[in-house]
Structure formats: structure tokens, C-alpha cells
Amino acid sequence: MIAVVGAGLMGAATAWQLARRGHEVALVEAYDIGHTHGSSHGSSRIFRRAYADPLYVGLTGRAYEQWRELEEDDSTPLLRTTGGLDLGKGRDPEALAGVLGAAGVPYELLGAEAASERWPYVRFDGPVLYHPDAGVIDADQTVAACVRRAVEHGADAWTGVRVTGFDVGEKAVLRTDDGRELTADTVVIAAGAWLPELELPVPLPPLTVTQQQVFHFRQRDPSVVWPTLVFKDETTQTYGLPSGSDGGPLPAMKVAEHDRGTPTTATTRTGVVDASSRTRVSEFVRDRLPGLAPDPVAEATCLYTTTPDEDFVLDRHGPLVIVSACSGQGAKFTPLIGAMAADLATGRAEPHPRFRLGRTA
């Protein structure tokens, strides 16, 4: 039997992948399915293929195939293609174009004037990379779909049950806050921002948990279908994507800082939006995104769990498989990470060297 601890995006996807392969699975979640306490809630996450690292470009291609498999299995659309823009000196669109071209990923490299003609609601002052495969993922619906299909494939879901301790030998025994014990041949730990607090007997790399702020801005023209965008200058990185239902009843864009999160822990985060982040993001919208009204109509917080090298943690230690698809970039890989974790849990594959527990940054 395989237990999966945590029913956020990665844990839910792992349970789905294992259950559909015919394994006996218990999915243990401390809150309700689809809760808002961690990193996996909300109606919008970016899917993109534009990475400077060829490893991740390749992984996005594999992830895309897995997204379509999940959509087919649940008969639910989860990934909507919009196209994506990368701009700013720190983003280096020309270099990104070279990496995508080498990987056979379609793209266009445009000057500021040509980009302004195509997307007049964005202000450009340099080269722009456009790649048509980018899009938006509905995180809430993805978690729901994975858990639903995992259960329909035979998984047992324990909700409102918190794991309080582990006894690890040839097998693992999980102790829970309701007094139960669960013995499993393998345990997949997909606890997100709670991972550093579990005191597992494994050599985790340093993990930093931050509270991030996200803001939603109303489109001036509700008929426009916006692409996703990633802007980076010398100091900060800001991203934007269509909001979905999180932005309210009218079309909106979610805009947020990728960096500058507030250090915290999963249990001590305040959930209070940082006013300075709101000011900076609103000024970015006013300066760079004239197609949006610069006052946010909705806002929220979530958690990042970041490694020093910003690579995933995806490795096995005895009967424990540790899954932390972190550093603010994991959502786009959700069903693929689930498949890779399932492979580790069943001995079908070895971990990638970049994702090992004991690596040095």
C-alpha cells in the first residue's frame, strides 16, 4: 500500500497517477480538498515553455502531454492556451529564443514596435519573445479532478486528518491526530510548505517558505484575450496571466511579484497582504499594462517553498518519497510530477540528479 501525505497539486496528482495504475492508495490531507492554506488554490497558474534551462523546457513538453491525459481521464478542461510574452532586460528574450529554438519549441522574437501593434494594451521598450504554447491552468479544478479520479480509480481519501509522526523502518507507520495509525510500504510526502516542519529523517536541502501576494486588475476592454507575461528587469520579476474566477465576474488579469515574498512558515503565515507589494504591483500595472485599470479588484496570498538552486525536490529515502515541486514554478508540471513521484514510489525510475535530496546548491 502507498500512502500520499498532502492533497495539494502534487499530492493529488501523485495519488491519481498511482491509483490509475492499479495501486492501493491512501491520500491523507490535513484540511478539506481544495483548501486555501497552502500553495495549490486559485483559478489561475501560468503554463509556459520559456525557460533558459533546457532541462525545464523538456519537462514542460512532457508535462503538456500529461495535462492532456488528465483532461481526457476526467473529461474536464484544465489547461487553456493563450500564448505568452517574455520581456525585460533581465528576462533576455533573445537568449530564451535560442533555447526554445534548439528544443524545437515554436516562438517569435519581435521588436518593441511590432509587439506594440499586436498587443497595444502592453507597453514595450525592447525585444519581446512570444511563444504560442503558453497558457493558464485552473489549480482548483486540477486538485478536484485529480482527487476525484484517484478515488474513482480506487484510492481512499482521508480528509481533515493531520499526520503527527512517522516510524520508519522497512515500512513506514503514519500516526495521525485522530489517533489512527497507517502502515504503508511507501509514503509519498507532498506536504508543500509544511515539509520543513515535519522533521523527517531525510537530508532535505535548505527550504525557504515565503508568503506571496497576488492581485487582480480589471481589463479596460473585456473582449481582449490577454496572453500570459513574464517581465524581469535587473532587480525584480513580475508576472501576469488571465485571472479566471479569482478576479471576479468581469475579465481581469492576475499580476504579482515572483520575488520579494515575506519569510514565514506554513503555520505562522498571517494571510495579510503586504501593502508595499500592492503599491509596487499597482505601479507596475500603471506603467507597463495600460490595458488594465491600476487599482486591484481582488487580492490574495499563497505560499512558496524555495530551494537555493530553485530545482525541485523529488527523491526517495528508504520507504519515503519526498515531493516538493517548489520555488514558485511547480504548478505547470503538476501531472508530470505526479507521474515521476509515482515512478519513484513503485521503483520504476531513479531520481533525476538535479532533484536529489542530498544535493548541494
Side-chain angles (χ1 to χ4, degrees):
M1 200 274 284
I2 302 173
V4 180
V5 178
L9 285 167
M10 304 311 157
T14 302
W16 166 65
Q17 294 280 14
L18 287 167
R20 74 173 182 147
R21 297 179 188 181
H23 296 282
E24 182 183 2
V25 178
L27 177 61
V28 184
E29 169 54 54
Y31 300 97
D32 293 331
I33 302 301
H35 68 83
T36 61
H37 303 290
S39 307
S40 297
H41 57 282
S43 61
S44 55
R45 296 288 192 280
I46 285 181
F47 178 86
R48 61 182 172 86
R49 302 209 60 194
Y51 273 88
D53 187 336
L55 170 65
Y56 283 97
V57 176
L59 290 176
T60 60
R62 294 168 57 192
Y64 180 87
E65 296 173 358
Q66 291 288 330
W67 277 110
R68 296 316 184 197
E69 285 192 27
L70 174 57
E71 290 176 322
E72 182 178 357
D73 191 46
D74 192 60
S75 300
T76 301
L78 300 169
L79 169 58
R80 178 168 63 94
T81 302
T82 62
L85 305 176
D86 291 86
L87 60 156
K89 291 182 179 179
R91 195 66 180 147
D92 199 347
E94 295 99 330
L96 285 175
V99 177
L100 292 186
V105 177
Y107 73 90
E108 294 179 66
L109 191 62
L110 300 93
E113 183 176 351
S116 296
E117 291 178 359
R118 191 180 301 188
W119 301 283
Y121 41 85
V122 179
R123 187 174 70 81
F124 302 97
D125 57 8
V128 180
L129 175 79
Y130 171 73
H131 70 294
D133 293 342
V136 182
I137 299 153
D138 190 312
D140 284 338
Q141 289 193 21
T142 298
V143 170
C146 286
V147 174
R148 179 170 53 246
R149 290 302 291 149
V151 170
E152 290 171 353
H153 285 302
D156 187 15
W158 298 17
T159 58
V161 178
R162 184 175 298 278
V163 174
T164 57
F166 299 84
D167 293 323
V168 179
E170 290 187 8
K171 295 188 176 184
V173 178
L174 280 65
R175 299 187 300 276
T176 64
D177 60 357
D178 61 357
R180 285 187 283 179
E181 290 187 349
L182 176 64
T183 301
D185 299 291
T186 305
V187 178
V188 179
I189 310 294
W194 285 266
L195 181 59
E197 302 179 31
L198 292 179
E199 299 182 353
L200 297 172
V202 297
L204 292 174
L207 298 174
T208 300
V209 177
T210 54
Q211 178 176 283
Q212 306 291 132
Q213 285 66 226
V214 300
F215 306 92
H216 301 270
F217 299 87
R218 188 69 42 77
Q219 294 181 199
R220 297 187 188 276
D221 181 351
S223 68
V224 170
V225 178
W226 280 63
T228 70
L229 59 94
V230 179
F231 171 86
K232 187 175 183 180
D233 59 17
E234 292 81 359
T235 58
T236 61
Q237 180 168 306
T238 307
Y239 64 90
L241 67 160
S243 297
S245 60
D246 288 347
L250 298 177
M253 284 286 284
K254 171 181 169 181
V255 186
E257 296 174 311
H258 177 69
D259 39 26
R260 293 191 176 183
T262 304
T264 187
T265 70
T267 55
T268 62
R269 57 89 64 89
T270 66
V272 177
V273 170
D274 179 0
S276 64
S277 180
R278 184 190 301 115
T279 298
R280 288 191 300 269
V281 173
S282 295
E283 286 300 318
F284 175 85
V285 170
R286 186 173 286 106
D287 179 46
R288 288 280 177 175
L289 306 177
L292 302 178
D295 296 318
V297 295
E299 58 188 25
T301 66
C302 65
L303 297 175
Y304 276 8
T305 308
T306 306
T307 58
D309 56 16
E310 297 191 357
D311 280 338
F312 304 149
V313 177
L314 191 58
D315 197 359
R316 180 164 186 150
H317 184 89
L320 302 181
V321 174
I322 311 301
V323 180
S324 185
C326 49
S327 304
Q329 63 165 335
K332 68 179 69 64
F333 300 102
T334 294
L336 174 62
I337 294 297
M340 295 170 73
D343 287 345
L344 289 176
T346 57
R348 292 178 58 177
E350 292 294 315
H352 191 285
R354 291 265 297 268
F355 303 152
R356 285 189 176 275
L357 286 159
R359 69 181 187 262
T360 56

